[in-house]
Amino acid sequence: QLLTKRRQDLVAGRTQTITRLHRLLIDLVPGGARRNLTAKRAAALLAGVTPAGASAVTRHQLAGELVADVHDMEQRIAAVEVRIKTAVVQSNTSLLELFGVGPVLAATFLGAVGDIGRFPSKHHFAAHTGTAPLEASNGQVVRHRLSRAGDRKLNHALYMMAMVQVRRPSAGQAYYRRKRAEGKSPKEALRCLKRRLSDVVYRCLLADQHDQRSRVSAIAGRGV
């Protein structure tokens, strides 16, 4: 949880710096610059600019400083991601076996959930993740709306997982398309998928807890 929070802070800082850099490049580079800037791309753009006038020179210098800041943040983000990957591997979690879950998302789930035993059922877990939809039916039309309750970090992690599955051939993509064929809107189908994935994550965390207890019991047994 500490490592994922550190990464989140670094990513937020990088985004803010990129935004400031983008504003400067709009005035320096003909046609401006794309939103998906990196330190390398920004440096290449600046290398092709010859500032004319005091204000342009100042903007060019500031942009160069911001490029250095972005480069430093990108290195620190990469370093903390290595630490996250190591910690997740050491946890022996089965979350990494799920389609669309990498070390960062797995760490988010592990850090935000903590003890999965505090949730008596998958339904309690879904309520905590904010994926249990709320009924908003109107007459004979049965509809459900998004729940704003629950842990937003977990909800966002499930959203990211769902989007990966929707965009690539997977069981999640097939499930999403089936819901769309039933007449659900894209948002409704995505909410259904997130609810299903919440159950999958819950089962994985329960299995991890069971395996961990089994290993502890086995070690204790050998020590007797």
Side-chain angles (χ1 to χ4, degrees):
Q1 188 174 27
L2 292 172
L3 290 173
T4 54
K5 181 61 170 63
R6 173 59 174 163
R7 180 184 179 276
Q8 180 182 349
D9 291 342
L10 287 171
V11 170
R14 178 187 179 277
T15 300
Q16 293 174 352
T17 306
I18 285 288
T19 300
R20 291 193 291 269
L21 177 58
H22 190 269
R23 294 197 192 103
L24 290 173
L25 290 176
I26 288 176
D27 295 326
L28 289 169
V29 180
R34 294 181 178 179
R35 285 289 181 181
N36 57 341
L37 275 177
T38 63
K40 185 176 181 180
R41 291 172 186 164
L45 288 173
L46 284 176
V49 173
T50 302
S55 61
V57 169
T58 300
R59 285 190 179 91
H60 194 277
Q61 291 172 342
L62 290 175
E65 294 172 6
L66 290 177
V67 167
D69 291 343
V70 172
H71 179 69
D72 178 63
M73 289 181 186
E74 288 175 350
Q75 287 186 320
R76 284 189 283 170
I77 290 171
V80 79
E81 286 179 350
V82 170
R83 296 170 66 188
I84 287 174
K85 182 177 181 180
T86 300
V88 169
V89 170
Q90 290 175 345
S91 73
N92 294 315
T93 180
S94 59
L95 288 172
L96 292 176
E97 299 173 11
L98 299 179
F99 192 94
V101 176
V104 172
L105 279 187
T108 300
F109 285 127
L110 293 172
V113 172
D115 180 14
I116 191 63
R118 62 195 177 104
F119 302 103
S121 71
K122 63 181 182 181
H123 306 295
H124 291 83
F125 184 68
H128 181 71
T129 61
T131 56
L134 303 177
E135 187 172 348
S137 302
N138 183 12
Q140 295 182 345
V141 179
V142 178
R143 295 286 185 186
H144 291 82
R145 65 177 177 84
L146 176 67
S147 170
R148 297 294 181 183
D151 189 302
R152 304 317 299 167
K153 293 189 297 294
L154 286 173
N155 190 280
H156 181 70
L158 288 167
Y159 170 81
M160 297 300 294
M161 182 181 175
M163 291 305 298
V164 171
Q165 294 201 9
V166 167
R167 291 169 179 168
R168 300 179 184 178
S170 62
Q173 185 187 75
Y175 178 83
Y176 175 83
R177 289 178 175 176
R178 188 163 64 251
K179 290 299 177 181
R180 292 285 288 122
E182 293 174 1
K184 294 188 180 297
S185 69
K187 288 185 178 180
E188 289 173 332
L190 187 63
R191 286 199 289 269
C192 290
L193 177 57
K194 284 171 62 180
R195 176 66 177 83
R196 178 66 64 89
L197 294 179
S198 176
D199 294 348
V200 172
V201 170
Y202 178 75
R203 288 196 298 269
C204 278
L205 292 174
L206 277 182
D208 290 346
Q209 184 184 69
H210 179 268
D211 291 344
Q212 184 179 19
R213 288 176 177 174
S214 297
R215 286 194 296 270
V216 171
S217 297
I219 293 173
R222 288 197 297 270
V224 174

